[in-house]
Amino acid sequence: NAGVTQTPKFRVLKTGQSMTLLCAQDMNHEYMYWYRQDPGMGLRLIHYSVGEGTTAKGEVPDGYNVSRLKKQNFLLGLESAAPSQTSVYFCASSYAPYGGGNEKLFFGSGTQLSVL
Amino acid sequence: GQQVMQIPQYQHVQEGEDFTTYCNSSTTLSNIQWYKQRPGGHPVFLIQLVKSGEVKKQKRLTFQFGEAKKNSSLHITATQTTDVGTYFCVNAGNNRKLIWGLGTSLAVNP
């Protein structure tokens, strides 16, 4: 049981390049999330999904797009990377929405992205 | 909006000493979660507190939720080097948009 798997683990981009981060979970979770973590900033929610085919904006969505075509996968896209998007990106999933009492997050191991 | 403030930001302790981190909010929280992130790792869920005044223990870790549900604490008794990491409290009452505290980084000197 792999849990939450993120690929790639590391990536270096030049400004203006595009890329897609893939997140896959095998726990049959409905809810999936993309966070970014920057020093001194904690974790900030980029986008999230409450089910297959649905996505919603989080706290810092600008410059990112997401898709949830299959329940187990949640993709994060950067169309035109900027140095401000240098960060560690974490994908997470949960069984239930917040407030349901069973909404603990399971995280992937992260992607270190550098934009030069 | 709802925010959670964590103190201290950093703490260095000698192995065997106790450690406490505090999480405070200006608004009432429906519940609160605690996560631990080891250096270079990802956050791992520790516990969720829901009830006013709730106290939960996990071995050497004691978690408390304030009576007014505006604060929470994590206390580690007799720290070990395996306790090194950053501890985050998370406001779990904001309709899927979890608000994370900035965390308390714990360093343990052997």
Side-chain angles (χ1 to χ4, degrees):
Chain A
N1 193 341
V4 180
T5 303
Q6 284 182 239
T7 53
K9 295 189 182 302
F10 303 95
R11 187 72 186 268
V12 179
L13 292 177
K14 295 181 179 179
T15 298
Q17 287 184 320
S18 63
M19 77 162 294
T20 300
L21 280 67
L22 173 63
C23 177
Q25 53 94 5
D26 61 3
M27 296 174 284
N28 201 34
H29 285 172
E30 289 289 342
Y31 302 86
M32 298 187 74
Y33 316 84
W34 275 107
Y35 285 92
R36 61 176 290 173
Q37 185 175 34
D38 304 292
M41 298 292 290
L43 274 82
R44 293 183 292 171
L45 183 64
I46 305 171
H47 286 280
Y48 64 97
S49 169
V50 302
E52 181 178 317
T54 69
T55 63
K57 295 180 180 180
E59 184 183 356
V60 288
D62 294 343
Y64 306 95
N65 57 76
V66 288
S67 64
R68 183 102 180 264
L69 298 180
K70 293 183 178 181
K71 185 177 183 178
Q72 63 268 34
N73 296 335
F74 196 28
L75 279 63
L76 177 70
L78 284 73
E79 291 184 345
S80 179
S84 60
Q85 294 177 304
T86 294
S87 186
V88 179
Y89 291 84
F90 287 104
C91 175
S93 69
S94 66
Y95 176 74
Y98 306 133
N102 192 21
E103 60 271 64
K104 72 177 185 179
L105 296 178
F106 293 82
F107 282 84
S109 58
T111 298
Q112 174 69 62
L113 175 66
S114 295
V115 183
L116 306 178
Chain B
Q2 290 180 301
Q3 293 189 352
V4 288
M5 306 296 293
Q6 278 190 259
I7 53 171
Q9 187 176 4
Y10 304 100
Q11 181 104 44
H12 285 80
V13 299
Q14 205 63 33
E15 189 172 21
E17 292 181 339
D18 291 356
F19 159 77
T20 304
T21 174
Y22 299 91
C23 182
N24 300 310
S25 172
S26 59
T27 59
T28 301
L29 304 170
S30 59
N31 55 37
I32 199 154
Q33 297 181 349
W34 285 92
Y35 289 78
K36 176 185 178 182
Q37 184 176 23
R38 295 180 185 273
H42 59 275
V44 175
F45 176 84
L46 293 176
I47 205 128
Q48 178 165 289
L49 304 172
V50 179
K51 299 177 182 177
S52 169
E54 190 169 16
V55 178
K56 289 187 176 180
K57 292 189 176 183
Q58 291 179 350
K59 297 183 180 179
R60 295 178 293 104
L61 277 62
T62 302
F63 303 85
Q64 290 188 316
F65 202 7
E67 292 290 344
K69 300 182 74 174
K70 289 186 176 182
N71 56 73
S72 180
S73 65
L74 159 60
H75 179 83
I76 302 178
T77 303
T79 54
Q80 300 176 358
T81 54
T82 53
D83 296 324
V84 165
T86 301
Y87 293 86
F88 293 97
C89 66
V90 186
N91 171 11
N94 216 16
N95 196 26
R96 303 189 190 93
K97 297 183 181 181
L98 285 183
I99 304 298
W100 291 67
L102 297 184
T104 295
S105 294
L106 173 64
V108 179
N109 298 324

